[in-house]
Amino acid sequence: MNAYEIIIRPVITEKNTNLMELGKYTFEVAPGANKPMIKRAVEELFDVHVLDVNTMNVRGKRKVRRTRRGIIEGTTRSWKKAIVTLAPGERIEIFEGV
């Protein structure tokens, strides 16, 4: 896998915005990617030094919708999240404009 296949998108939430002040950035990554692959991809794409990578699998949530025809049940999709810690003093500029 190349770097563009490993890093799918940045995750922008209020909690992740607060983590950016600590030098931690959150990404949705490919389900088959491991920590060394994620570290290499972030360093290659953003030209920064990565100190640590934490990953977690986010389960899809169960959703129930009521319609005229009855109840429709399903789930949102499951995905993998990576929290990347950068070296002190380094930033990823793509997040700063958000």
Side-chain angles (χ1 to χ4, degrees), residues 26-93:
T26 307
F27 298 96
E28 178 182 346
V29 296
N34 57 27
K35 291 180 182 186
M37 292 167 67
I38 295 167
K39 178 180 178 179
R40 222 173 310 122
V42 171
E43 288 178 343
E44 180 183 326
L45 290 175
F46 301 108
D47 195 32
V48 292
H49 293 73
V50 176
L51 297 180
D52 191 28
V53 178
N54 296 322
T55 60
M56 62 196 76
N57 290 310
V58 180
R59 275 190 178 161
K61 294 182 180 177
R62 184 170 176 262
K63 297 288 184 177
V64 177
R65 197 175 88 195
R66 289 173 171 69
T67 64
R68 290 184 197 183
R69 296 179 163 248
I71 296 174
I72 299 173
E73 294 185 30
T75 59
T76 59
R77 67 185 183 86
S78 298
W79 53 288
K80 188 170 189 176
K81 176 165 64 171
I83 300 174
V84 177
T85 304
L86 301 183
E90 293 196 344
R91 306 163 61 157
I92 296 178
E93 297 299 326

Side-chain angles (χ1 to χ4, degrees), residues 19-31:
L19 283 176
M20 286 184 217
E21 297 171 4
L22 302 173
K24 297 183 179 191
Y25 295 85
T26 307
F27 298 96
E28 178 182 346
V29 296

